[in-house]
Amino acid sequence: MSAQRTGQTLVEQLIDWEVNHVYGLPGDSINEFIDDLRKEQDRIKFFQVRHEETGALAASAYAKLTGKLGVCLSIAGPGGIHLLNGLYDAKGDGAPVLAIVGQVSSEAVGTGAFQEVNLERLFDDVAVFNERAETETQLPDLLNQAIREAYAKKGVAVLVVPDDIFSRKQKSEERLTAQDYYKPMITPRDEQLKEARQLIEQSENPVILAGKGTSAAQTELIEFAETIKAPIVLSLLAKGVIPDHHPYCLGHHGQIGTKPAYKAIKECDLLLLIGTQFPYRDFLPDHVQAIQIDNEPEHLGKYYPIELGIAGDAKQTLSRLTKLMSPRSDNSNLERYQDMMNQWRVSLQKEKRSEEDPLHAPQVMFELEKHMKSQAIVSTDVGNVTVWASRFLPLVDQKFLISGWLATMGVGLPGALAAQIAHPDRQVIGICGDGGFSMGMQDFVTAVKYELPIKMVVLNNSKIGMIKYEQAQMGHLTYETSLGELDFAKFAEACGGKGYRIESYEDLSTRMEQAFLSDKPAIIDVAIEEQAPLPGHIDYQSAVNYSKYVIKHFFETGDMDLPDMSKSWERLK
C-alpha cells in the first residue's frame, strides 16, 4: 500500500467493504477518482447515470433492497446539489448510503471558486456523517468511519474530497481505525415479554400493524398471529412481507389502505405495532392500549402513546413471545374481519377483470399479475400508481420497492435499475405514472446502455392524477394538473430499447406478453382513463369537500366529474 495514490487506496477500501458498484457521473472535481475506479473496473463497476438524482435514488433503492451500502458519486456544486433528493429518500427510509462528493482543489476551497458550494452546510441536515477531507493522510480513516456510521445509524454518510487529494500518494499503510462494522443485537428483557403476554391475554380483539421491520420475520409474524388469533394489517413499506392473499392479511392501512384494515384497527382493544413507525394518527384508534416492538429504542412511543415498548429485533422477539403464549381459542373477531376481507377481494376482482374500454389501471394490474414471476422485484413510483400497485397487484414472494417516508416522485426507474443490478437473474418490473416517470425518464438510456432488461409499465393518463384528486378532495377546482400527451413507447425506441403502446383492452394481453418475452429494456406505455384513487374508507369531511368540488366543476364546465358512486358509498359507510 505504500506510496500509492490515495484514490487507489479508497477503491481498495470500498472493495474490502464489499462494495461492487458505484452510481454517478464523471466530472472535473472527481476525475482523479474516476481514473482510480477505471483501473479497478473488473472488481468495482462504475454505472454512469444521466442525472445525479438517479444515482442517489438508485443507491438508496439498492440499500433498501439488500441491506448493503449503496454508493453514489458526484462532482462539487451542481452535482452535489442534484444528489439531495435521493439522499433524503435514504434518510427517510433508513437506508445506509455513502455519497462521495468532489470539491474544488484544496488551495481553492473557501475562495468562491468556479462551482464551489459550501457542501458541508448543504449536507448537514441529510447526513449522519458529514466531513471534508483536508489531507490525504486522514482520508482512508474518514472513509472507514463514514461507512461505519452509515450502517450503524441507518442513514447517509457524506465524504467531501477535493479532487487533488485523490491523486496524492499515501506515505504509510498505518491506519487509525478498523475496517469493519459490528452490528449489535438488542434483546428484550423477560419481564417485558411477560407483561406483553398479560396484555394480550387480557384483550379480546388484538390487531397487528406490521411494518418493514418484520421483513426478515415472515414466519415468526404469521406464527404469532395464528397463536393469538389476530389479523395482520400492513404498512405500505411492508407489502410483500406476507402474501397479500394470506388468510390473516387485511391489506394496507392509511389513505391507500383497505376498508377491512381500517375497521379492524379502529375497533381493536389492543394494537400491536411491530417494526413500524406508522405516523398517521388519524388512522389509529383513540384510547386503546398498545404494544410496540422495534429494534430502535428511540422509535418506541414516538407516534403513538403505547402501554409497553419492547426494544428488540422482530424475528427474535416474536419467536420468544409466541413460545410464552397459550393459543387463543376464540377466533370470532378474526373470522369477522376475514369475511370482510374476502368481500373486499371479490370487489377488487370484479374491477380488475373488466374487459371494457377505456382501460383503467386495475385492468392493467390484473394483466401484469399474469406475467410477474416468482421472486420478481417490483419498483413502484409515487402517486395514484401507488394505490393501483399496492391494492390491485398481489405479491406472494416478490419484493416491493418504493419511496416511503419522503414519497418522492421519480423513484420507479432508479429503483428498477438498482434492483436489476443487485439481482441480474431476477425479473424486475417498474410501475410508474406518466408524471413520475417523466421526471427522470432520461435514465431509461442507462438501462439500454448496460443491457438491464427492466420492464417499465407507465400508466399514462396525461395528468398528475393524485394531485388532481387531492385538490378536488379539498373542495378546490383542479389547476395545472394536466401534463399533455407523450408517447413513451416511441421514446423507448428512440433510446434503443423496446416500446409497446397499449390503447385498448383488445391490445392489452398481446402487447404485454410481447414486452415480457423480450430480453431488452422495455417501456409498456398504457393509455388509461382517469380514475379517482378512492381510499379504503372515506370520511365524511372528505365526502363533503369532494361534493363542493363537483358543484364548482359543474358550474365552471357544465360537466359532472363524479367518481364511481357505488364504490364511494360502500367506503363511506
Side-chain angles (χ1 to χ4, degrees), residues 48-105:
Q48 176 220 70
V49 293
R50 298 304 176 98
H51 195 293
E52 290 91 351
E53 180 180 5
T54 300
L57 286 169
S60 176
Y62 176 82
K64 291 183 217 179
L65 184 63
T66 66
K68 297 172 65 176
L69 187 75
V71 183
C72 54
L73 178 64
S74 82
I75 66 167
I81 294 167
H82 284 165
L83 292 176
L84 276 175
N85 195 44
L87 298 184
Y88 270 102
D89 177 66
K91 176 186 178 178
D93 289 349
V97 166
L98 170 67
I100 300 174
V101 185
Q103 182 54 291
V104 299
S105 66

Side-chain angles (χ1 to χ4, degrees), residues 52-336:
E52 290 91 351
E53 180 180 5
T54 300
L57 286 169
S60 176
Y62 176 82
K64 291 183 217 179
L65 184 63
T66 66
K68 297 172 65 176
L69 187 75
V71 183
C72 54
L73 178 64
S74 82
I75 66 167
I81 294 167
H82 284 165
L83 292 176
L84 276 175
N85 195 44
L87 298 184
Y88 270 102
D89 177 66
K91 176 186 178 178
D93 289 349
V97 166
L98 170 67
I100 300 174
V101 185
Q103 182 54 291
V104 299
S105 66
S106 302
E107 309 85 57
V109 171
T111 67
F114 176 69
Q115 290 195 326
E116 183 186 6
V117 167
N118 188 331
L119 294 172
E120 297 92 286
R121 184 177 296 173
L122 179 72
F123 294 114
D124 183 61
D125 179 61
V126 75
V128 298
F129 178 93
N130 179 24
E131 296 290 344
R132 173 168 60 89
E134 296 189 0
T135 69
E136 68 276 14
T137 305
Q138 69 181 154
L139 187 51
D141 294 323
L142 283 176
L143 179 65
N144 279 342
Q145 192 61 23
I147 295 174
R148 189 178 296 108
E149 294 201 27
Y151 274 126
K153 297 177 181 177
K154 298 180 181 177
V156 175
V158 177
L159 188 55
V160 177
V161 188
D163 198 34
D164 56 297
I165 291 180
F166 290 119
S167 65
R168 296 178 188 172
K169 297 294 182 67
Q170 288 286 310
K171 298 182 178 64
S172 171
E173 61 183 58
E174 291 184 10
R175 296 286 166 257
L176 299 175
T177 61
Q179 187 160 300
D180 210 341
Y181 166 61
Y182 302 94
K183 184 178 181 180
M185 175 61 74
I186 301 176
T187 303
R189 300 191 302 272
D190 289 340
E191 54 266 33
Q192 289 180 312
L193 297 179
K194 290 176 182 177
E195 186 178 350
R197 179 186 66 184
Q198 184 178 9
L199 288 170
I200 294 169
E201 288 176 345
Q202 291 172 351
S203 69
E204 295 181 0
N205 189 19
V207 173
I208 296 167
L209 178 54
K212 69 171 183 175
T214 62
S215 58
Q218 181 188 65
T219 301
E220 290 77 12
L221 177 62
I222 292 173
E223 288 178 353
F224 176 65
E226 290 173 340
T227 300
I228 69 171
K229 299 296 186 290
I232 300 170
V233 176
L234 299 173
S235 71
L236 175 63
L237 295 185
K239 183 175 176 67
V241 167
I242 65 173
D244 281 305
H245 286 156
H246 190 280
Y248 275 71
C249 181
L250 299 185
H252 301 300
H253 195 39
Q255 185 73 13
I256 66 167
T258 69
K259 187 170 183 177
Y262 180 88
K263 295 278 285 183
I265 292 286
K266 285 292 190 177
E267 294 173 356
C268 74
D269 64 355
L270 178 66
L271 180 62
L272 293 137
L273 299 155
I274 306 176
T276 182
Q277 298 179 64
F278 191 84
Y280 305 109
R281 188 64 183 80
D282 290 345
F283 286 91
L284 296 177
D286 298 320
H287 313 300
V288 166
Q289 289 187 319
I291 299 171
Q292 185 174 4
I293 299 171
D294 202 293
N295 65 355
E296 302 287 344
E298 66 270 24
H299 293 167
L300 297 173
K302 185 175 181 180
Y303 293 103
Y304 194 76
I306 59 177
E307 184 77 13
L308 173 64
I310 301 176
D313 171 74
K315 185 179 182 73
Q316 183 197 53
T317 303
L318 288 175
S319 178
R320 289 175 60 191
L321 187 54
T322 301
K323 290 174 183 176
L324 282 177
M325 301 298 306
S326 298
R328 187 185 292 257
S329 57
D330 182 8
N331 64 351
S332 56
N333 282 318
L334 172 66
E335 289 182 343
R336 182 162 60 90

Side-chain angles (χ1 to χ4, degrees), residues 197 212 388 406 409 434:
R197 179 186 66 184
K212 69 171 183 175
W388 310 135
L406 188 63
M409 291 173 67
D434 51 325

Side-chain angles (χ1 to χ4, degrees), residues 450-468:
Y450 293 107
E451 299 180 343
L452 304 173
I454 60 174
K455 303 295 180 283
M456 300 301 303
V457 179
V458 179
L459 302 176
N460 189 351
N461 62 1
S462 302
K463 291 180 178 64
I464 313 174
M466 177 158 281
I467 307 306
K468 179 181 186 298

